Amino acid sequence: MKNHPLIKQSILEVQKSDRNIAIAKGNLLPSVNAGINHNYSFGSTIDPSTNSRKTLNTQYDQFSISTPVELFNWKNYGEISLSKLNKESSEYRLKSAQNDISLNVIQQFFQYQYDKAWLEVLQTQISGIEEQIKRTEKEVEIGNRPKSDIYDIKANLGTIKEQWISAQNQKELSKNNLQNAISLLDDKIDFILSEENPENILFNNEDFVQKLLDKNPLYQNAIKLNEIAKKSIELAKSDYYPRLSGMYQWSTFFSKELGAQPANQFSEQFKQNKNNYVSFGLDFPIFNRFQTKNRIELAKLSAENTSLEKDKVVLELTNNLKTIEIQYRNAQEKYRALEENFENQKLSFQKSEEKYKEGMMDAYTFFMVRNSWLQANYNLIKSRYDLMLQSELVKVYLKD
């Protein structure tokens, strides 16, 4: 959540939404403008101090401060509401991105845990078989076992070593995928599962999936996008409404004939020529080439499309959540069954090992039993991590 670029980008989108709200609110405030104009006029002109036409070469300086303001424009209020809805939408997208990262990290994490555990099982098996080869070679030397037993054991060892090489490669790949999922470049960090007992989650509530859906940020964002679409229609309609505007302006000027001393100095003219100007205006839209009408129709079509997109999100999310529920129940049942099968296979292997040591079972039959137990071990590890994976995925959807 701290390092992934997708999360950082989503946070930036939320921050941009805050700026857009500030911009929309700023439209309610008056703007203040100051202006200075320095002009020269040559020939027939109006003397600004006497308002009579003369043939003069003059210098004219004007100073002004104006504050235009829209006293009422419905569109400004609509844009504030729309920008707030957009911020809420960006917050839901952030939560959705966090969920996506969480789900991916969880899946990659348990894949790595499984691959690591499976590699350890194979390593234990290889060590056990190598010890078995040494004991069998001694028994062959004293004539207690046929030499073919050594060949059978070594053949079995070769098969398991091949599996070990593949498992080692898969472990490195899954660790790399996990590091990529959390945007971490340091490959010296190991990922350890502190608790290896699957957590039991109850799905007794018939509305469980619906409750997960209601709190899902993708679903919440789909609802928010519908609100945004409706607000966009209102915003488009606001172009039909009248707008009330006002303006205040203060100004003064200084003028003089070029090459002559002014009758009044700058400070005196500055005071004498001061002017205050206040205006109010009410604009009524009458005809704008059907632009407003067409924008309203476009907004309605966009709202209809957004509603369909919401239906698609609901269908997809409901399917995903039901799938997670089904997979969790299946993982629970499978784990219980494989746990019992593993114990039986373990007892069978222990008894067969005793028989093999006593010479009551040949190497091929013994390693058939060993492979069955190895397969049971493999299935149990996979099932346990699958159940833990499903539990963690459900918890991501359960969180507020």
Side-chain angles (χ1 to χ4, degrees):
M1 297 306 169
K2 293 180 181 178
N3 298 305
H4 203 284
L6 180 60
I7 301 299
K8 292 180 179 179
Q9 287 178 320
S10 299
I11 292 173
L12 288 177
E13 288 301 315
V14 174
Q15 294 173 347
K16 285 168 64 178
S17 297
D18 283 327
R19 294 299 96 201
N20 286 329
I21 292 174
I23 290 172
K25 289 182 176 179
N27 288 333
L28 299 179
L29 301 174
S31 59
V32 179
N33 305 300
I36 301 175
N37 291 313
H38 183 71
N39 306 299
Y40 293 100
S41 178
F42 303 95
S44 179
T45 187
I46 299 294
D47 186 344
S49 53
T50 63
N51 281 327
S52 61
R53 182 169 290 279
K54 296 180 180 179
T55 301
L56 297 171
N57 297 329
T58 61
Q59 172 189 328
Y60 177 75
D61 299 305
Q62 185 178 30
F63 308 89
S64 65
I65 297 176
S66 61
T67 57
V69 60
E70 283 192 316
L71 297 173
F72 185 81
N73 185 345
W74 183 256
K75 194 168 189 174
N76 289 337
Y77 296 97
E79 286 178 345
I80 293 173
S81 299
L82 186 62
S83 58
K84 288 180 178 179
L85 291 174
N86 280 322
K87 182 190 176 182
E88 292 176 28
S89 175
S90 65
E91 288 172 342
Y92 287 133
R93 290 197 300 273
L94 170 60
K95 290 179 181 178
S96 180
Q98 289 171 334
N99 276 1
D100 290 342
I101 297 299
S102 296
L103 294 171
N104 188 35
V105 169
I106 288 168
Q107 289 172 324
Q108 299 299 336
F109 176 81
F110 280 103
Q111 181 63 48
Y112 173 67
Q113 295 302 321
Y114 160 71
D115 291 334
K116 185 169 64 171
W118 177 234
L119 186 66
E120 291 171 357
V121 169
L122 290 174
Q123 185 60 58
T124 302
Q125 289 296 314
I126 289 173
S127 300
I129 293 174
E130 288 173 343
E131 289 296 321
Q132 195 70 41
I133 290 173
K134 293 178 182 178
R135 290 197 301 268
T136 304
E137 285 176 341
K138 291 179 180 179
E139 292 182 9
V140 169
E141 287 177 4
I142 61 177
N144 288 345
R145 287 193 174 278
K147 198 169 184 178
S148 61
D149 278 5
I150 296 177
Y151 302 142
D152 290 338
I153 298 172
K154 286 184 176 181
N156 191 271
L157 176 62
T159 300
I160 294 181
K161 279 188 174 180
E162 183 182 355
Q163 293 178 345
W164 183 89
I165 293 171
S166 297
Q168 174 71 18
N169 181 63
Q170 182 57 43
K171 175 197 169 187
E172 295 301 319
L173 287 175
S174 60
K175 183 176 182 180
N176 183 66
N177 291 337
L178 175 54
Q179 289 171 333
N180 183 66
I182 60 176
S183 192
L184 183 67
L185 301 178
D186 187 357
D187 61 354
K188 296 179 181 179
I189 296 176
D190 198 6
F191 302 91
I192 300 171
L193 186 63
S194 58
E195 179 58 52
E196 295 199 5
N197 294 318
E199 184 177 345
N200 186 36
I201 298 177
L202 299 177
F203 288 85
N204 294 331
N205 195 328
E206 293 181 358
D207 298 330
F208 184 79
V209 171
Q210 184 61 45
K211 288 185 176 180
L212 288 183
L213 179 65
D214 290 341
K215 63 171 61 177
N216 188 279
L218 268 180
Y219 174 73
Q220 292 171 324
N221 186 47
I223 294 176
K224 192 59 60 179
L225 289 176
N226 267 5
E227 294 180 28
I228 290 172
K230 292 176 182 177
K231 181 59 68 175
S232 296
I233 296 174
E234 294 180 15
L235 200 61
K237 289 180 177 178
S238 67
D239 286 335
Y240 281 139
Y241 306 149
R243 294 181 294 274
L244 178 62
S245 60
M247 188 180 75
Y248 168 76
Q249 179 175 292
W250 175 92
S251 65
T252 187
F253 67 89
F254 166 76
S255 68
K256 71 172 186 174
E257 184 179 350
L258 294 176
Q261 287 294 326
N264 296 316
Q265 297 302 314
F266 178 85
S267 58
E268 293 179 6
Q269 287 195 42
F270 193 89
K271 293 178 182 178
Q272 293 173 357
N273 297 329
K274 286 190 295 184
N275 174 262
N276 292 282
Y277 173 82
V278 178
S279 71
F280 296 95
L282 188 62
D283 295 327
F284 295 90
I286 296 175
F287 179 72
N288 66 346
R289 305 180 302 279
F290 303 109
Q291 299 300 305
T292 300
K293 179 182 178 182
N294 288 321
R295 281 195 290 267
I296 292 172
E297 293 304 317
L298 280 175
K300 288 179 179 179
L301 291 172
S302 295
E304 187 176 347
N305 184 63
T306 303
S307 180
L308 294 173
E309 286 294 331
K310 176 194 168 187
D311 294 340
K312 285 168 58 179
V313 169
V314 171
L315 283 173
E316 185 176 351
L317 275 176
T318 302
N319 178 62
N320 291 343
L321 295 172
K322 284 184 178 179
T323 299
I324 287 176
E325 180 183 6
I326 292 168
Q327 288 177 335
Y328 179 79
R329 292 181 188 277
N330 178 263
Q332 272 187 321
E333 295 174 5
K334 190 174 181 180
Y335 180 70
R336 295 192 193 102
L338 289 174
E339 200 172 26
E340 183 179 347
N341 181 57
F342 173 78
E343 292 300 323
N344 293 331
Q345 292 286 354
K346 183 178 179 181
L347 291 172
S348 174
F349 171 74
Q350 290 172 347
K351 293 294 182 183
S352 297
E353 189 174 33
E354 292 174 4
K355 290 181 180 180
Y356 177 76
K357 289 178 180 179
E358 294 171 1
M360 299 172 62
M361 180 179 288
D362 61 84
Y364 179 78
T365 305
F366 172 65
F367 281 104
M368 289 294 289
V369 176
R370 178 191 285 271
N371 288 341
S372 295
W373 177 59
L374 187 64
Q375 184 66 41
N377 201 349
Y378 168 87
N379 292 337
L380 183 62
I381 291 172
K382 191 174 189 310
S383 178
R384 181 171 69 248
Y385 283 120
D386 185 46
L387 179 55
M388 296 176 73
L389 166 64
Q390 298 302 327
S391 299
E392 294 300 322
L393 292 180
V394 171
K395 283 195 283 186
V396 170
Y397 286 110
L398 280 173
K399 73 178 181 180
D400 295 330

